[in-house]
Amino acid sequence: MELSVILVAYKSGPIVRQALESIAQYNDIGDELEVIVVDNSPEKERIYPDIQDIPLPHFQYVPSDNRGFGAGNNEGVKVSKGKILAFLNPDIILVEPIFKKIIQRFQKESIGMLGIQLCYENGKPGFSFYNDYQMSIIKKWTLKLWNKMGRFNPNQMYISGADMFVPRDLFIQAGMFDEHMFMYYEEPDLKRRIEKLDPSKKSVYDGSLKMIHLEKKSTPSSLAMIGHEMDSSVYYGKKYDLDYQKKLVFEYKYYGTKEKVYRIINKEKAKQMHEIRVYMKERMDAHDIGCDGNV
């Protein structure tokens, strides 16, 4: 088996079906492709009835407890057989054949992790990569531009978890996803461990291949998601001796800046920013992290 696609789903049957149908449509490697759906949904909301009839050569459905993104993907890896693992979000849509070209790149080059261009439904570039643990307003504001231009810096950036392709053996040797993180920071954490294991295995961005990413449709934004991101930020910071206190204070102040701007142009958005900052302050207190300024 050349390639295993793994999707972790949560209460998103129609979205997952759309993704699987596009994979079936653009499968350019035939029987060398397997697709594994790990369903983290509550038992009464399992999505199998929505996806069971899609014509895929090798398909596995794995019901699982919801222990997070990394743990769900690890469950998929345990039953997979592909030489290359493709971790795809359930809200992606293939628009062209990509698997054969990706396999060929791995066969010819020393690659630790590969990502392709993620686009919005209108075809415009989305976020295919991110800065690793950045604490700069300029980097936040210019990230969209770098994605639009395809300017990926493997020394400072990491591939989005919505479309990560990793050699199976290397993924397992690196220790798989760290299940201490429920959601967020799994990608840069894995990147660091792969590069420590084998410095020659670099992250690569291929902007010549594209897929659609329906951002936020499989995991809608919520205060709970922000909480998961903050918790993972603290864990990741401690793991790599990074200044997680400074990081969370930076994010807190960033939302404060957004709140001030929205007070002028959008009162409702300003209210949302304020609610987020109140929640962030509570989470920071839980981690014994102080912040400058009052909510």
Side-chain angles (χ1 to χ4, degrees):
M1 192 75 64
E2 288 291 337
L3 190 143
S4 299
V5 169
I6 300 171
L7 293 90
V8 177
Y10 183 77
K11 297 183 182 180
S12 48
I15 294 292
V16 177
R17 181 177 182 85
Q18 192 172 19
L20 296 180
E21 287 177 339
S22 73
I23 291 171
Q25 179 181 357
Y26 292 106
N27 174 17
D28 57 349
I29 57 174
D31 287 344
E32 292 300 321
L33 172 73
E34 73 171 348
V35 178
I36 300 163
V37 172
V38 179
D39 191 355
N40 280 353
S41 307
E43 187 172 351
K44 292 182 179 180
E45 300 179 76
R46 300 291 194 200
I47 67 170
Y48 184 69
D50 295 321
I51 61 175
Q52 60 181 320
D53 62 326
I54 299 174
L56 291 161
H58 302 284
F59 175 73
Q60 294 190 67
Y61 172 81
V62 182
S64 179
D65 296 330
N66 186 16
R67 295 182 291 112
F69 173 85
N73 276 301
N74 285 346
E75 289 298 314
V77 172
K78 290 173 185 176
V79 300
S80 69
K81 300 181 180 67
K83 298 175 185 175
I84 298 170
L85 303 171
F87 300 105
L88 304 183
N89 269 19
D91 56 353
I92 60 90
I93 303 173
L94 267 63
V95 294
E96 61 184 3
I98 61 171
F99 299 131
K100 185 178 292 185
K101 291 180 179 178
I102 288 172
I103 291 170
Q104 289 172 347
R105 286 209 64 171
F106 275 100
Q107 291 173 340
K108 295 177 182 178
E109 304 173 43
S110 180
I111 299 175
M113 186 182 298
L114 182 145
I116 67 174
Q117 186 178 84
L118 298 173
C119 299
Y120 296 116
E121 288 182 89
N122 60 11
K124 294 183 179 180
F127 289 93
S128 306
F129 47 81
Y130 296 90
N131 293 306
D132 186 0
Y133 224 68
Q134 59 83 27
M135 289 176 261
S136 163
I137 289 289
I138 292 176
K139 284 187 176 182
K140 264 188 176 289
W141 289 348
T142 57
L143 181 60
K144 186 173 183 179
L145 175 62
W146 299 144
N147 272 272
K148 184 177 181 180
M149 297 173 63
R151 295 282 297 275
F152 175 72
N153 182 342
N155 296 320
Q156 299 179 6
M157 298 174 173
Y158 62 88
I159 297 297
S160 166
D163 73 320
M164 276 193 305
F165 296 81
V166 184
R168 174 192 180 82
D169 290 346
L170 191 60
F171 178 78
I172 293 173
Q173 290 170 21
M176 305 175 72
F177 285 116
D178 187 336
E179 297 185 10
H180 289 95
M181 293 180 283
F182 185 86
M183 185 176 290
Y184 299 107
Y185 288 95
E186 301 92 342
E187 310 99 308
D189 173 62
L190 178 63
K191 175 179 180 285
R192 284 173 181 259
R193 287 185 283 120
I194 285 176
E195 291 178 352
K196 182 178 180 180
L197 183 68
D198 186 345
S200 71
K201 300 293 186 179
K202 297 298 184 181
S203 292
V204 172
Y205 169 68
D206 189 339
S208 69
L209 301 175
K210 302 177 181 180
M211 69 171 70
I212 290 173
H213 183 206
L214 306 172
E215 289 197 69
K216 308 294 185 184
K217 290 196 175 182
S218 62
T219 52
S221 298
S222 67
L223 292 180
M225 293 297 103
I226 292 174
H228 288 314
E229 183 171 6
M230 293 177 72
D231 292 345
S232 292
S233 179
V234 171
Y235 175 81
Y236 180 77
K238 290 180 177 179
K239 185 173 182 177
Y240 294 104
D241 197 24
L242 305 172
D243 194 341
Y244 62 90
Q245 296 184 358
K246 183 178 179 180
K247 170 66 172 172
L248 263 62
V249 170
F250 167 78
E251 296 295 343
Y252 175 78
K253 289 183 176 180
Y254 177 69
Y255 276 100
T257 301
K258 292 178 71 173
E259 180 182 349
K260 291 176 182 177
V261 172
Y262 280 128
R263 282 176 187 166
I264 302 172
I265 62 176
N266 189 323
K267 299 294 184 181
E268 189 60 34
K269 280 282 189 180
K271 182 180 178 181
Q272 292 176 12
M273 295 302 106
H274 182 77
E275 291 173 350
I276 288 173
R277 291 183 72 232
V278 170
Y279 179 78
M280 290 182 73
K281 178 65 165 58
E282 294 174 353
R283 297 302 305 158
M284 290 168 73
D285 288 343
H287 287 292
D288 294 322
I289 299 173
C291 58
D292 298 330
N294 299 313
V295 176

